[in-house]
Amino acid sequence: MSETMNHAGGPSGDRAAQQIDVGAGTAAATPPLRTLGAVARVFVRRRSPQVLLSGLTISVLVRLVVVDGQRWRWWDLVAVVMVAVLAPLFEWFIHLFVLHLPPTRIGPVLFDPGAGHRQHHLFPSQIDRVLLRGREAALFQLANAAIVALLLGIPLVISGSFAPEPILTGVIAAVAALTHYEWSHFLFHTAYQPKTRFYRRLKRNHRMHHWRNERYWLGITSNAGDRLFRTYPADRSAVPRSPTARTLNGEQPTQTATQREPGRTDQD
């Protein structure tokens, strides 16, 4: 690949964050996105953010208009806190056990949910490979809503306090968390340098995940999951360089693959 490496384990300089990898086919280079405004303008034109923001808008309108928006109870606070606590853990779990899952054949069916993510690791500098596809964003959005409804619905029924409002509040929080994940991930793959220490640390850790060792720094919006499951090393320099950080399960780019999907976009 064409990136040069620095001693920290990442591409040297901000320019590498926008560099198109050798062997990436005919994908057009995206101009370096160095300001938050430039990043936001490109982000909102992509299909995944459009799907998520539409879902977020609909959820808020249903909560405030269709359902009695004035009925705010302590269960609404429980819903928000639950999502805030569980979102980093789900993020860690899905990243490791779904996106990094090697192709698995179950009978005649090839189960390969990590195919797009492996391409992202092969070509991490390509902006068009960062975000979920539109249909993937919709699927994750529906799955998150179903999980929240289940986790909140059962205790609400057991307590005899069932009402739709807290569940809708939880759905809003879950879709907002997923949107935050997509935004943060996109932001970290641009040349923009975050202004706050929190986001600078997250971006640095994510670059280490791509360029040093894919088994560590699995969190995007938070490293809470990494700290809990011990994939957040105290000393980054002690983590060995992984030969599969770019290829994950040893997958290599092929000419056929680059011809079939030269500039994989999230617009379909």
Side-chain angles (χ1 to χ4, degrees):
M1 298 298 174
S2 59
E3 280 85 345
T4 56
M5 306 295 291
N6 62 19
H7 294 294
S12 58
D14 293 336
R15 186 173 300 174
Q18 292 297 322
Q19 185 175 348
I20 294 299
D21 303 85
V22 171
T26 59
T30 302
L33 305 176
R34 300 188 182 279
T35 67
L36 199 60
V39 175
R41 285 191 292 273
V42 174
F43 180 76
V44 298
R45 290 199 297 266
R46 303 304 169 103
R47 183 63 53 82
S48 171
Q50 291 171 355
V51 169
L52 294 175
L53 290 171
S54 296
L56 184 60
T57 302
I58 292 171
S59 300
V60 170
L61 289 176
V62 170
R63 176 66 179 87
L64 296 179
V65 179
V66 178
V67 180
D68 186 359
Q70 302 304 314
R71 289 186 58 190
W72 299 97
R73 302 182 300 172
W74 72 273
W75 273 106
D76 291 281
L77 178 61
V78 170
V80 173
V81 172
M82 182 192 75
V83 171
V85 170
L86 293 181
L89 309 185
F90 276 107
E91 185 178 293
W92 185 95
F93 181 87
I94 290 172
H95 196 164
L96 180 61
F97 294 109
V98 177
L99 299 182
H100 283 199
L101 183 72
T104 304
R105 186 168 293 279
I106 303 175
V109 179
L110 181 65
F111 185 66
D112 192 11
H117 192 70
R118 288 197 303 276
Q119 288 295 305
H120 171 51
H121 268 262
L122 280 170
F123 307 115
S125 300
Q126 283 194 5
I127 288 299
D128 284 340
R129 297 178 188 268
V130 174
L131 297 174
L132 296 169
R133 296 172 186 259
R135 59 178 176 268
E136 292 169 343
L139 181 61
F140 271 107
Q141 192 169 217
L142 292 173
N144 284 359
I147 292 171
V148 166
L150 183 65
L151 292 178
L152 282 172
I154 291 176
L156 282 168
V157 170
I158 293 175
S159 66
S161 306
F162 182 81
E165 292 90 351
I167 294 177
L168 285 169
T169 299
V171 169
I172 292 170
V175 177
L178 182 56
T179 306
H180 180 223
Y181 167 90
E182 282 286 83
W183 164 253
S184 299
H185 192 201
F186 188 78
L187 187 71
F188 298 159
H189 282 273
T190 69
Y192 174 76
Q193 292 303 310
K195 304 303 182 185
T196 66
R197 181 182 303 175
F198 177 74
Y199 280 100
R200 285 198 300 270
R201 184 178 70 248
L202 287 175
K203 179 174 182 176
R204 181 177 66 246
N205 291 340
H206 188 60
R207 291 171 69 84
M208 296 289 284
H209 170 79
H210 273 286
W211 299 102
R212 191 176 191 96
N213 197 309
E214 77 281 10
R215 299 175 185 86
Y216 296 88
W217 305 289
L218 293 156
I220 302 294
T221 64
S222 168
N223 289 123
D226 289 306
R227 295 179 187 277
L228 179 63
F229 299 117
R230 307 180 74 173
T231 54
Y232 191 86
D235 183 5
R236 294 193 301 272
S237 63
V239 176
R241 294 182 184 274
S242 170
T244 55
R246 293 290 295 276
T247 62
L248 290 185
N249 306 295
E251 176 175 316
Q252 298 291 337
T254 64
Q255 185 65 23
T256 301
T258 55
Q259 287 175 347
R260 182 178 64 251
E261 195 177 40
R264 178 260 195 228
T265 71
D266 56 282
Q267 298 299 317
D268 49 356

